[in-house]
Amino acid sequence: MDSVVPLADGADEWSDVPLAADSLAPRAIPDAVLSRYRRDPAFQYDNPRAERPSVWDRFLEWVFQNTLAPIGESLGPGGMRVLLIGLAALLLGWALTWMLRIGGGSPFAKRDVAKPAHPLLDVEEIADVDLRAHHREALARGDFREAVRYRYLLVLQTLDAQGAIRWSRHKTNREYVREMRSATSREQAEAFHEATRVFDWVWYGRRPVDRDRYDRLAPLFTALDRQRQPAATA
């Protein structure tokens, strides 16, 4: 008969339930059960099965065994190393040639992604161009998008004459914005930045411009065109 473990006084309502003294003793697991679990791969944590090679791994192995391995056996370790270096050089040369053909220049050259494919005005000196006459002609024929272009060019012409920027047909509008920020007041630089943003949106975004839209955009350029910048201080 199992002995009963006495419980201390003041225990809970279950204190009068008799417990066998050996109720917490570990139970022995039959050898047959242990053997069955040991044979089950799902429980072999200390001996994981190797994953099967992928199709790509098998292809690379086939290429190596059928091409490089025979060559390596005939050339020896030193010759195989020279061959691998030569193949790497050929691959690098092909990649550089492809990049030069696509990019049209050195692959390591710094490029300004904002630079337009064609200059906004293909002249060396913007001061020599009668932009106001071109602007009037664009308005007369109802080409308001072209009129916006000449209004922006008039702003650049004025700022170049004042020394706030230096005109170059190879520069981007972003470069002019940077020049304005370093040569003028913050208010004037921000006004030019806003006019540039609107111009880029119209011209490079190929937005249609009618008379009403032109009349709403023109004051942005007129205010800058008529400004007189103070001389820059050292």
Side-chain angles (χ1 to χ4, degrees), residues 27-40 43:
R27 296 177 58 187
I29 301 177
D31 292 339
V33 176
L34 287 176
S35 298
R36 185 171 69 250
Y37 281 112
R38 290 192 181 105
R39 290 193 301 269
D40 190 344
F43 294 94

Side-chain angles (χ1 to χ4, degrees), residues 219-231:
L220 287 172
F221 308 105
T222 303
L224 285 164
D225 184 33
R226 293 176 178 174
Q227 284 180 353
R228 291 295 180 266
Q229 308 294 338

Side-chain angles (χ1 to χ4, degrees), residues 121 123-131 156-157 160-161 167:
L121 185 65
V123 296
E124 295 296 336
E125 295 293 338
I126 194 172
D128 298 336
V129 183
D130 190 354
L131 293 173
L156 296 182
Q157 189 180 61
D160 177 71
W167 161 262

Side-chain angles (χ1 to χ4, degrees), residues 28-226:
I29 301 177
D31 292 339
V33 176
L34 287 176
S35 298
R36 185 171 69 250
Y37 281 112
R38 290 192 181 105
R39 290 193 301 269
D40 190 344
F43 294 94
Q44 295 176 359
Y45 303 114
D46 59 341
N47 186 26
R49 292 179 300 173
E51 296 183 358
R52 296 183 60 186
S54 64
V55 175
W56 176 249
D57 292 333
R58 293 199 298 270
F59 172 75
L60 292 180
E61 179 67 18
W62 180 88
V63 171
F64 178 80
Q65 294 295 338
N66 291 274
T67 57
L68 296 180
I71 296 175
E73 292 176 359
S74 61
L75 295 178
M80 188 63 180
R81 181 179 180 183
V82 173
L83 176 63
L84 292 177
I85 294 175
L87 290 175
L90 287 175
L91 181 61
L92 179 60
W94 174 84
L96 290 175
T97 302
W98 180 80
M99 293 172 66
L100 288 172
R101 288 180 178 178
I102 296 298
S106 171
F108 307 105
K110 183 178 180 181
R111 292 181 173 86
D112 188 350
V113 296
K115 190 176 289 297
H118 303 286
L120 186 59
L121 185 65
D122 195 8
V123 296
E124 295 296 336
E125 295 293 338
I126 194 172
D128 298 336
V129 183
D130 190 354
L131 293 173
R132 296 195 182 277
H134 289 297
H135 176 247
R136 288 193 298 268
E137 292 172 1
L139 289 176
R141 63 176 180 267
D143 191 348
F144 298 106
R145 183 170 172 270
E146 186 75 10
V148 170
R149 170 175 173 256
Y150 283 116
R151 285 303 294 115
Y152 185 73
L153 285 169
L154 279 166
V155 171
L156 296 182
Q157 189 180 61
T158 299
L159 296 176
D160 177 71
Q162 296 168 353
I165 65 170
R166 296 191 63 181
W167 161 262
S168 172
R169 63 192 182 96
H170 300 296
K171 283 185 178 179
T172 65
N173 295 340
R174 186 180 301 174
E175 290 176 287
Y176 292 130
V177 170
R178 287 197 293 264
E179 290 182 13
M180 284 288 290
R181 285 175 176 168
S182 62
T184 64
S185 67
R186 179 177 179 181
E187 180 181 358
Q188 292 166 335
E190 289 302 318
F192 178 72
H193 180 265
E194 178 64 15
T196 300
R197 185 188 66 81
V198 170
F199 168 74
D200 288 345
W201 178 78
V202 169
W203 187 252
Y204 297 112
R206 301 184 181 276
R207 303 290 180 176
V209 181
D210 55 13
R211 182 76 207 200
D212 180 65
R213 174 170 285 179
Y214 174 82
D215 290 340
R216 287 186 283 112
L217 297 179
L220 287 172
F221 308 105
T222 303
L224 285 164
D225 184 33
R226 293 176 178 174

